[in-house]
Amino acid sequence: MTLGVVGLGLIGGSFAKAYHKAGHTVLAADIDRSILDFARLSGAVDDVLTRENVSECDLTLICLYPRAAIEYMEETAPYFGAHTVVIDCCGIKRGVVDAGMALAKEHGFTYLGGHPMAGRQYSGFKYAADDLFHNAPMVIVPPDHNDIELLGRVKALLAPAGFKHISVTTAADHDEKIAFTSQLAHVVSNAYIKSPTALMHRGFSAGSYKDMTRVAWLNPGMWAEL
């Protein structure tokens, strides 16, 4: 299998490492050339993903912020071709999925919305791990929930990541559920640690405080969009 990865942060880097470890060819693109070069030197990436070779990929994963993911799809839509399956990995689906579905229909490629339910409070390729997705859920938003052939194909393409199960849903349902299970948790954690009384509690905190505030350490640029 040939995997294309767009964006070598925590999520994209972990996909690259997982697929490469499983013996697959990994092509990648990143706005930061130094990260791309490091990923190639470390063995996680075989070559650069370009417009010229993206159509050779069996699966292309877009691991960017929502606006950047839409922009990448708009720029690359004419080059995906009919062979590759394109899945974005953004933390929100409405907007991104609308754009992806419209572009797929116009240019004749296969697109699904996606959200790997795994992560860490730290971001960047250096924190990526080949086992990040092991036993984690993967959420997908297909163009047709009744297309069993496509769903089976996607399940096989995602197998090297090690997901425990794949959930199929709509963009609206995804965003409603994620608002509760993820985004609200980040808002509460940030509010908790930024309380005016937080510094008064030094020496009076243990595991509960640590667990409650872990996700307050976040990527502000990404979470502002989400």
Side-chain angles (χ1 to χ4, degrees), residues 6 62 64-75 90 225:
V6 185
I62 304 174
L64 303 173
Y65 299 175
R67 282 195 291 270
I70 294 173
E71 291 174 0
Y72 178 82
M73 287 192 288
E74 289 174 340
E75 295 169 358
C90 300
E225 281 198 44

Side-chain angles (χ1 to χ4, degrees), residues 203-223:
F204 291 85
S205 63
S208 297
Y209 186 81
K210 183 178 180 180
D211 291 342
M212 183 70 179
T213 58
R214 179 185 65 84
V215 296
W217 190 295
L218 47 69
N219 182 331
M222 180 184 73
W223 277 96

Side-chain angles (χ1 to χ4, degrees), residues 117-128:
M117 301 306 301
R120 294 173 175 164
Q121 66 267 41
Y122 306 112
S123 60
F125 182 80
K126 67 178 179 179
Y127 295 107

Side-chain angles (χ1 to χ4, degrees), residues 21-37:
K21 184 178 181 180
H24 301 289
T25 300
V26 179
L27 309 179
D30 194 277
I31 194 171
D32 189 333
R33 184 70 195 204
S34 65
I35 292 176
L36 180 58
D37 289 343

Side-chain angles (χ1 to χ4, degrees), residues 3 5 7-28 35 38-46 61 120 124-134 160-161:
L3 173 73
V5 179
L8 288 171
L10 174 66
I11 300 301
S14 294
F15 273 121
K17 290 182 177 181
Y19 278 72
H20 197 275
K21 184 178 181 180
H24 301 289
T25 300
V26 179
L27 309 179
I35 292 176
F38 178 77
R40 295 180 70 183
L41 287 171
S42 67
V45 171
D46 295 290
L61 298 171
R120 294 173 175 164
F125 182 80
K126 67 178 179 179
Y127 295 107
D130 57 39
D131 62 352
L132 181 68
F133 307 114
H134 284 191

Side-chain angles (χ1 to χ4, degrees), residues 117 133 135-139 155 158 162-168:
M117 301 306 301
F133 307 114
N135 297 317
M138 174 67 174
V139 180
K155 183 178 180 180
L158 291 172
F163 291 109
K164 185 175 183 179
H165 61 82
I166 296 175
S167 300
V168 180

